[in-house]
Amino acid sequence: MPCIALTFDDGPGADTKRLLDVLGAAKIRATFFMVGRSVSANPAVAKMAADAGHAVGGHSWSHADFTRLTPEAIATQI
């Protein structure tokens, strides 16, 4: 059976709640890779995604380029 995986990157942001509403109305589940500082600024929206049954993954604290970071800075991002 054909399948499509929907993933969203860098949120939660200004449009995440509206996106969750659209996905919910269509009974579609997605994966959200969220940035730590955005979750910190929008914890209720991040919780809404998880509570609605979407998969939620971490996308570092600030979406830094890990190839330019020291091991210590990478640990801080994680």
Side-chain angles (χ1 to χ4, degrees), residues 9-36:
D9 191 18
D10 298 345
D15 296 318
T16 305
K17 185 177 179 324
R18 185 168 52 100
L19 175 59
L20 290 170
D21 292 341
V22 170
L23 292 171
K27 297 185 170 126
I28 295 172
R29 297 290 176 260
T31 300
F32 289 83
F33 292 99
M34 297 187 175
V35 176

Side-chain angles (χ1 to χ4, degrees), residues 53-74:
H54 301 285
V56 177
H59 203 12
S60 78
W61 178 255
S62 66
H63 204 291
D65 181 351
F66 279 33
T67 66
R68 297 175 184 260
L69 298 179
T70 65
E72 294 80 15
I74 290 171

